[in-house]
Amino acid sequence: MAILPNYTHIINPKLKHIYLTFDPEGDLIIKSPRISQREIEKVLIKKAAWITKSRQKIQDKKGKPLRFKEGEEVFFLGKPYPLQFEKSEKMRSSLRFDQTDGFILHYKNFEPERFQKLIEYFYKQEAQLRLPEITQYYAARMQLFPSKISFRRASKRWGSCSSSNAISFNYLMMKLPLPVIQYIIVHELAHIKYKHHQRDFWELVGIYLPDFKEREKELKLYM
């Protein structure tokens, strides 16, 4: 008898078909109209190989959303650092980072939403500190200069270049290894000249980063 995976079943009478998805941690979610347990089991057996492969792919991703549990790691410049928790008498939670101990959250009240803001503020500060210099370096080499550089949090994009050549970077890219960060920067600078992803665009990227395909492959481990 096949061992069926654990799952969460969400019933939606408006649906006509059965849909299988995963949450960020790789837990299976089934969305369907009202169906029997036997029908669910048939789908799980039929899709067993796909479920295993898809779950492993998600679990292998780096820099996943944090749940703020013991044993988690926070990625910074492509390196995983331990996330530690220390009780404090101070009301306001704070975050400390160093190369040896990693990330240490000091807190009186356990507030994951506050912790997330502290981690993101750390990334934003580091992005503002480090990325302009790297951008200026490649802009000078490529002779393509952005009209403006800004930093914001985005859920699906690492960077963007507007019609006025203003470049916006997702400060969460500070999770990524430096070669991947360089790829994102060169990618957006190339959009100053080419507002598309056709051959001319990729040839320009390749002039300054001949191994850009490998860097792009590494980037996908974080998406």
Side-chain angles (χ1 to χ4, degrees), residues 144-158:
L144 294 170
F145 300 94
S147 59
K148 179 184 177 182
I149 299 175
S150 60
F151 305 91
R152 65 185 179 88
R153 190 191 190 286
S155 59
K156 294 183 179 180
R157 303 181 69 177
W158 294 108

Side-chain angles (χ1 to χ4, degrees), residues 68 92-96 103-107 111-125:
F68 297 100
R92 194 167 181 83
S93 300
S94 62
L95 175 70
R96 180 169 62 85
F103 291 86
I104 302 174
L105 280 165
H106 300 271
Y107 71 98
E111 303 170 300
E113 289 186 6
R114 169 65 180 163
F115 299 162
Q116 183 65 38
K117 289 180 180 179
L118 288 171
I119 296 287
E120 291 190 10
Y121 182 67
F122 169 82
Y123 284 141
K124 188 172 184 178
Q125 283 189 308

Side-chain angles (χ1 to χ4, degrees), residues 63-64 75-79 123 172-177 222:
K64 293 182 291 187
F75 276 77
F76 176 51
L77 294 177
K79 181 179 177 181
Y123 284 141
L172 296 184
M173 65 194 275
M174 297 312 298
K175 296 179 181 181
L176 309 174
Y222 293 82

Side-chain angles (χ1 to χ4, degrees), residues 72-103:
E72 281 190 298
E73 295 177 325
V74 180
F75 276 77
F76 176 51
L77 294 177
K79 181 179 177 181
Y81 290 91
L83 177 61
Q84 303 179 57
F85 301 89
E86 289 189 3
K87 291 285 287 183
S88 170
E89 289 304 311
K90 294 182 179 180
M91 286 298 297
R92 194 167 181 83
S93 300
S94 62
L95 175 70
R96 180 169 62 85
F97 169 78
D98 66 55
Q99 299 282 343
T100 303
D101 297 327
F103 291 86

Side-chain angles (χ1 to χ4, degrees), residues 140-219:
R141 289 189 63 197
M142 300 170 72
Q143 286 297 292
L144 294 170
F145 300 94
S147 59
K148 179 184 177 182
I149 299 175
S150 60
F151 305 91
R152 65 185 179 88
R153 190 191 190 286
S155 59
K156 294 183 179 180
R157 303 181 69 177
W158 294 108
S160 63
C161 179
S162 72
S163 58
S164 62
N165 299 330
I167 290 179
S168 175
F169 291 120
N170 182 347
Y171 55 75
L172 296 184
M173 65 194 275
M174 297 312 298
K175 296 179 181 181
L176 309 174
L178 181 58
V180 179
I181 291 173
Q182 293 167 340
Y183 163 70
I184 294 171
I185 291 172
V186 170
H187 184 116
E188 298 309 329
L189 288 172
H191 276 311
I192 294 176
K193 187 171 184 179
Y194 299 112
K195 306 298 186 188
H196 56 68
H197 289 113
Q198 298 173 15
R199 182 175 178 176
D200 289 342
F201 172 84
W202 292 114
E203 285 181 348
L204 178 60
V205 172
I207 290 172
Y208 298 96
L209 297 176
D211 64 342
F212 76 87
K213 289 184 178 180
E214 292 302 314
R215 300 184 193 219
E216 189 176 43
K217 189 182 298 183
E218 176 72 12
L219 174 61

